[in-house]
Amino acid sequence: MYRALGAPRARIRPYAAGSPNYWGGTFRNAEPAVPFSARQAPDLFFAIVLRGNTGAPSREVPLAVPLAPAAAAELAASWLGHSSVLVEVDGFRVLTDPVWSERVSPSSRLGPRRMHPVPVKVSQLQQIDAVVISHDHYDHLDRRTIRELVRLQPAPFVVPLGVGSHLRAWGVPVERIIELDWNQDVTIGDLTVTCTPARHFSGRGLARNVTLWSSWVLRGPRHSVFFGGDTGYTDRFSEVGEKYGPFDLTLLPIGAYSEQWPDVHMTPEEAVQTHCVLNGTPSNGVLLPIHWGTFNLGFHPWAEPIVRLMQAKEAQSVRSVVPMPGQRVDLLKPLPRNEWWLGVS
């Protein structure tokens, strides 16, 4: 269990200390954000105890048979659940926030449990060109999955500052770890991966915010993708849109929002707003929702995030696609319209 916690603060600090976003021993958001305070603990405890089956699906979540062509497409995405997405952009494959464990917790017996199976085994994945991590929370950075990817895949791990210390503690070879600060990038062949701001927090143990959190831009010669990871709304997204947008595809979180933490998780309406800000106009790009439907991390009904998203995107005339877990969508072909979640909620 203790190994899942990752690296201690002392091992992280040398990689973080030089960042302009780091002072006083922790990283800070560009805009102040209060994720959770000790005074909220009693209210949060009783909310968890009293929520019952709220947040769980009423029926089995359907899975799609994963499709994996030999060559990566110009623009495609396979949603594997929560924030794990296999993105194809200009012939490259990028895996975001891979989590294959049954629980998102340092313990295999306690913590939020998966509400649907993983649609594909790690061993069944095609060769990946990069693994991108948004931050070090358990539902985005999973030790068991990382170790399996190290064994089965040759791809580098591109992570925010400090997160590389966790990977080194888990035996990831140093030459396969690329740590970036906000607005830094790395080139992998013709693919540029850029670390961009997010409004969130980090921590796997008692120490909070000793590693950085981020969103990511994936840019090939012809297409670009924005991966939001886990974030609340921030005005910094307008700067990201001006510098790197518009995007052909935006992967944005829509679930686990709560009045307990309004600054660090998006509502579905804020995801639509973010998509529009990143792209300059609602008609640009396609929004694919993530961070919902797989782990029960909030207090809303299971289908509420996607129902609210569909209403908000219609009001703004935003194009969207909602694949079921495992489904691969080619964004250069007509978008599927199957509202599969209606039979689950």
Side-chain angles (χ1 to χ4, degrees):
M1 177 176 172
Y2 74 93
R3 290 193 181 113
L5 294 174
R9 182 193 294 262
R11 291 189 182 180
I12 296 171
R13 187 180 295 112
Y15 296 90
S19 170
N21 303 302
Y22 181 90
W23 66 91
T26 61
F27 284 97
R28 308 292 177 91
N29 281 295
E31 299 169 49
V34 180
F36 178 71
S37 69
R39 289 177 295 178
Q40 292 175 290
D43 290 340
L44 180 61
F45 173 78
F46 284 112
I48 293 173
V49 170
L50 297 174
R51 73 180 176 184
N53 290 326
T54 300
S58 60
R59 299 176 186 174
E60 185 175 316
V61 177
L63 303 181
V65 177
L67 300 176
E74 292 289 296
L75 186 66
S78 302
W79 185 50
L80 304 178
H82 202 53
S83 296
S84 301
V85 185
L86 186 58
V87 180
E88 301 169 51
V89 53
D90 291 340
F92 291 87
R93 284 192 175 95
V94 179
L95 182 61
T96 68
D97 286 0
V99 174
W100 261 253
S101 286
E102 185 66 17
R103 293 185 186 274
V104 285
S105 163
S107 170
S108 61
R109 298 183 179 182
L110 300 173
R113 190 171 187 174
R114 185 175 288 277
M115 295 187 290
H116 64 76
V118 182
V120 61
K121 297 179 180 178
V122 174
S123 60
Q124 295 173 321
L125 294 173
Q126 292 279 10
Q127 184 167 313
I128 296 165
D129 297 289
V131 179
V132 167
I133 306 294
S134 64
H135 65 300
D136 71 1
H137 285 160
Y138 293 101
D139 56 321
H140 297 260
L141 179 64
D142 177 56
R143 176 179 177 268
R144 291 182 179 180
T145 305
I146 294 296
R147 288 174 62 85
E148 195 166 3
L149 285 167
V150 169
R151 183 173 61 88
L152 297 173
Q153 291 281 347
F157 294 83
V158 189
V159 302
L161 284 180
V163 175
S165 298
H166 296 321
L167 303 189
R168 285 183 285 272
W170 298 337
V172 179
V174 173
E175 63 273 15
R176 292 183 59 180
I177 301 171
I178 302 169
E179 288 185 78
L180 300 177
D181 202 348
W182 289 346
N183 300 312
Q184 292 181 339
D185 59 38
V186 63
T187 300
I188 301 170
D190 290 331
L191 179 72
T192 301
V193 181
T194 304
C195 183
T196 46
R199 193 183 188 200
H200 201 56
F201 65 110
S202 65
R204 296 178 73 82
L206 296 178
R208 178 176 285 181
N209 296 342
V210 297
T211 64
L212 185 62
W213 49 94
S214 70
S215 56
W216 293 92
V217 172
L218 312 174
R219 290 178 293 162
R222 294 170 297 281
H223 299 95
S224 62
V225 177
F226 179 83
F227 170 58
D230 196 0
T231 179
Y233 181 79
T234 169
D235 289 338
R236 293 299 179 274
F237 288 145
S238 62
E239 299 172 9
V240 173
E242 290 173 4
K243 187 171 183 178
Y244 303 107
F247 299 96
D248 299 288
L249 174 65
T250 60
L251 308 171
L252 294 172
I254 67 166
Y257 47 83
S258 171
E259 294 180 356
Q260 300 270 11
W261 45 79
D263 296 336
V264 295
H265 278 171
M266 284 189 193
T267 64
E269 294 78 13
E270 288 171 328
V272 171
Q273 179 186 2
T274 300
H275 174 85
C276 295
V277 166
L278 289 168
N279 289 293
T281 174
S283 61
N284 285 332
V286 176
L287 167 59
L288 191 156
I290 59 172
H291 204 273
W292 78 284
T294 301
F295 299 107
N296 191 2
L297 304 175
F299 304 108
H300 50 67
W302 182 83
E304 183 182 288
I306 198 62
V307 171
R308 285 176 57 173
L309 178 79
M310 300 306 286
Q311 294 171 345
K313 71 102 177 182
E314 289 294 338
Q316 295 292 329
S317 299
V318 165
R319 292 194 302 149
S320 68
V321 64
V322 187
M324 69 176 67
Q327 184 177 3
R328 177 180 181 272
V329 178
D330 190 324
L331 280 304
L332 299 184
K333 296 181 179 179
L335 300 178
R337 296 295 182 185
N338 177 27
E339 296 181 332
W340 57 271
W341 60 88
L342 295 179
V344 181
S345 58

